[in-house]
Amino acid sequence: MILKLGGSVITQKEKPLTANLKAIERLSREISEAKVSHLILIHGGGSFGHPLAKQYALKEGYKEKSQLVGFSKTRQAMETLNKLVVDALIRQNVAAVGLQPSAFVVTSSGRISSIEQQPLGKLLEIGLVPVLYGDAVFDFDLGFTILSGDQLAAHLAMQLGASRIILGIDVDGLYTSDPKSDPSAKLIRHVTLQELRNMQHEIEEAKVTDVTRGMLGKILELMPAVEKGIPALIVNAAKPNSIYRALKGEEVTGTTIVKG
Ligand code: ADP
């Protein structure tokens, strides 16, 4: 099973380099109590990764020398956040091990093109819980770029044949529009790939806000994995017990995305 925890849940998004330690501790407890075998945990960057990556335009690739220290700073900030998450998991007796994606994943024009799977596979096999994250990575075409935790989650799910992907964000799931700015937004409880494709056209034609397109980006990353028969579940990780229930396969408020 692949669990991706959004940066908006484990950090305070408006405050640079500030973790939400209470949320991290609670989520670690939920993960510990769920006792899932063969779990890969991936977390986002939130206020540790995004502001630095943006400041140094890392996603666009290597253009000038002044970006290099920005690459270092971003990698280091993600290491710091990863350590906070892994420390909390270990406190809850989870055999967690942080793994640095930039050391075993290389992208081509922003898409994962090469991945050294053996360390991750071995870790899983002996019952450890790898903890990965969205990272500043090396790219064959761009020099470097930003690899999102969402792309990593979907890619690993397909490569390793995951039973499902759980995405924890800070709202209840996928809505008809951004629930934070549109009070009439409705939660979509269940959606198929075909329904999503139709929605995608509507969203693109309506030229709605960047934020919603951000959410669309998340969904687009998940779609190839769902196409391969791996269901995805989006739940509110900021709400106590949602992640626990999702991991246990219990009834939980959220959005289920299935093939058909
Ligand atoms: P992450 O936690 O992975 O960093 P983001 O903050 O990038 O996640 O994306 C989640 C946010 O997307 C939510 O907080 C929500 O405000 C916003 N959002 C925009 N459009 C939608 C939508 N249609 N459904 C759900 N959330 C949406």
Side-chain angles (χ1 to χ4, degrees):
M1 209 179 292
I2 310 250
L3 170 62
K4 194 251 167 178
L5 295 173
S8 57
V9 181
I10 61 164
T11 73
Q12 300 185 28
K13 251 195 160 167
E14 309 309 318
K15 291 190 195 161
L17 301 172
T18 310
N20 185 338
L21 294 173
K22 260 178 87 172
I24 293 175
E25 202 68 40
R26 175 182 55 75
L27 287 163
S28 299
R29 199 163 50 239
E30 291 184 29
I31 292 163
S32 173
E33 283 168 2
K35 293 190 176 51
V36 177
S37 64
H38 301 114
L39 175 70
I40 297 181
L41 205 66
I42 300 173
H43 64 77
S47 69
F48 282 71
H50 293 300
L52 283 165
K54 196 170 171 204
Q55 184 186 342
Y56 290 93
L58 297 186
K59 196 173 193 319
E60 289 71 32
Y62 181 44
K63 298 206 171 88
E64 50 188 75
K65 241 182 159 173
S66 61
Q67 287 173 293
L68 291 179
V69 77
F71 184 89
S72 302
K73 285 182 189 173
T74 307
R75 280 240 59 270
Q76 200 65 357
M78 288 310 299
E79 289 277 336
T80 304
L81 179 59
N82 184 247
K83 184 173 187 304
L84 292 172
V85 174
V86 174
D87 282 344
L89 287 161
I90 293 173
R91 273 197 296 279
Q92 300 296 332
N93 215 26
V94 176
V97 176
L99 280 194
Q100 171 193 332
S102 52
F104 66 97
V105 183
V106 184
T107 56
S108 295
S109 302
R111 307 304 302 172
I112 295 174
S113 65
S114 144
I115 185 158
E116 174 51 63
Q117 201 188 295
Q118 287 203 13
L120 184 65
K122 273 286 159 206
L123 244 124
L124 281 172
E125 215 178 282
I126 59 174
L128 289 156
V129 179
V131 187
L132 285 53
Y133 45 94
D135 200 5
V137 300
F138 305 101
D139 186 288
F140 287 122
D141 304 310
L142 301 168
F144 54 60
T145 192
I146 295 295
L147 167 65
S148 74
D150 300 314
Q151 186 187 151
L152 196 53
H155 189 96
L156 287 173
M158 287 186 280
Q159 193 159 333
L160 300 169
S163 57
R164 61 192 172 132
I165 305 174
I166 300 167
L167 229 57
I169 59 173
D170 68 344
V171 294
D172 280 357
L174 175 67
Y175 285 79
T176 48
S177 60
D178 188 350
K180 284 190 183 149
S181 55
D182 180 2
S184 68
K186 286 189 182 57
L187 179 65
I188 301 165
R189 297 293 307 248
H190 191 274
V191 68
T192 65
L193 279 183
Q194 193 48 50
E195 287 165 347
L196 272 178
R197 285 191 196 104
N198 296 340
M199 274 170 63
Q200 185 187 336
H201 292 308
E202 280 169 32
I203 291 173
E204 275 161 7
E205 273 161 29
K207 296 215 180 327
V208 284
T209 64
D210 274 354
V211 200
T212 299
R213 263 190 246 127
M215 189 64 194
L216 180 67
K218 227 179 244 312
I219 302 293
L220 289 177
E221 288 293 359
L222 291 175
M223 283 167 75
V226 177
E227 181 71 60
K228 290 225 150 54
I230 305 166
L233 175 61
I234 308 176
V235 296
N236 193 340
K239 273 193 186 160
N241 282 323
S242 287
I243 289 297
Y244 173 82
R245 284 172 175 279
L247 288 171
K248 297 295 274 184
E250 293 176 4
E251 180 68 32
V252 58
T253 302
T255 303
T256 306
I257 309 174
V258 293
K259 191 173 175 188

